[in-house]
Amino acid sequence: MQSELERTEMLIGTEGIERLRRSHVIIFGIGGVGGYALEVIVRSGVGAITIVDADSVEESNINRQIIALHSTIGKTKVEVARERIHDINPDCEVRALEMFYLPENADEIDLSCYDYVVDCIDTVAAKVELIRRCNELGKPIISSMGAGNKMDATALKVSDIYKTSMDPLAKAVRKKCKELGIRRLKVVFSEEKPIETNSEYIASNAFVPAAMGVIVGSETVKELMGVV
């Protein structure tokens, strides 16, 4: 039987595989974007993963979240994700934290013990708090910006927060980062102008969050290997 990482090893070598196996990544938010970022990170052979999310799977998640199926509705996202991770890589060490990450409870997570931080949080306050703490610790982090109200998956870019445009979430984060004296932040954002709808909810589809998550995951893996 072929090794599940044999094709990856052809690209990055045995040393690269071992480096990923020894890495510990923490992912905040495993919904539309975070779920696909997690998928890439797991399938790349990262050896230890902590997932942080307080939500349960809802029927409305099925259009865009890889862990959302009719069979998983009502289950907590972290438990569904834990099972999926172990179905892909039984040897992966998984820590599942069912919690809303907020400035008020941020001390419950020691960010210093992780090799890389993946931010797929939706709320500005929580997002900025995580970014601030990583900046203080000198901990590498990548942040996803808004994937809602978008239709063009080819408009996604990897950039610094201060070079973003057309993204209301990025604008809010950029302002806070400037106030806090944070000089740089690696992000994935869309240059597409958000589509206006008549709904109070953010619209979404199957492909823009997925594409953003894949990019976030790929940048994480490459950073862990020191190739970007």
Side-chain angles (χ1 to χ4, degrees):
M1 181 181 293
Q2 288 187 322
S3 164
E4 58 263 35
L5 292 174
E6 182 178 16
R7 301 300 178 94
T8 306
E9 189 173 352
M10 291 178 186
L11 290 170
I12 68 176
T14 303
E15 183 179 342
I17 292 292
E18 284 301 306
R19 188 165 183 173
L20 293 175
R21 185 184 63 80
R22 294 192 301 267
S23 297
H24 192 169
V25 173
I26 184 167
I27 304 178
F28 291 82
I30 50 173
V33 175
Y36 279 92
L38 174 61
E39 189 82 3
V40 169
I41 291 164
V42 175
R43 290 185 185 272
S44 297
V46 170
I49 301 173
T50 296
I51 46 179
V52 185
D53 201 305
D55 287 335
S56 296
V57 177
E58 299 178 0
E59 189 173 5
S60 62
N61 301 150
I62 290 175
N63 80 317
R64 70 193 182 284
Q65 298 187 14
I66 195 167
I67 62 172
L69 308 165
H70 283 282
S71 62
T72 62
I73 291 173
K75 297 180 180 179
T76 64
K77 289 183 180 178
V78 291
E79 286 307 314
V80 173
R82 187 209 296 268
E83 291 178 7
R84 186 176 181 89
I85 292 168
H86 281 153
D87 208 8
I88 297 168
N89 180 7
D91 296 325
C92 185
E93 298 178 17
V94 183
R95 185 184 181 204
L97 302 179
E98 188 181 342
M99 65 177 286
F100 283 112
Y101 183 83
L102 298 166
E104 294 77 15
N105 62 10
D107 286 336
E108 296 178 18
I109 298 178
D110 180 8
L111 296 173
S112 66
C113 63
Y114 299 101
D115 297 299
Y116 206 84
V117 179
V118 178
D119 161 34
C120 296
I121 298 172
D122 294 329
T123 58
V124 174
K127 205 171 191 71
V128 171
E129 180 65 18
L130 180 59
I131 293 165
R132 182 187 69 79
R133 287 173 178 258
C134 286
N135 183 69
E136 288 184 353
L137 290 168
K139 189 62 60 176
I141 180 174
I142 186 168
S143 291
S144 65
M145 297 294 111
N149 292 341
K150 307 273 186 172
M151 284 293 290
D152 185 3
T154 68
L156 295 169
K157 302 290 182 182
V158 180
S159 186
D160 185 82
I161 187 64
Y162 292 107
K163 296 179 181 179
T164 56
S165 61
M166 294 294 179
D167 188 322
L169 178 58
K171 182 179 180 180
V173 172
R174 187 170 65 240
K175 179 181 178 182
K176 291 292 184 181
C177 284
K178 187 174 182 179
E179 291 173 357
L180 292 169
I182 297 171
R183 295 184 175 182
R184 62 182 64 87
L185 172 67
K186 189 173 188 177
V187 302
V188 181
F189 79 104
S190 172
E191 291 184 319
E192 179 187 3
K193 183 179 180 180
I195 297 169
E196 295 184 9
T197 71
N198 294 323
S199 175
E200 61 181 301
Y201 300 104
I202 297 175
S204 63
N205 53 47
F207 41 90
V208 174
M212 182 177 285
V214 169
I215 294 171
V216 169
S218 69
E219 290 297 311
T220 301
V221 170
K222 290 187 290 183
E223 289 249 17
L224 288 170
M225 294 177 54
V227 298
V228 292

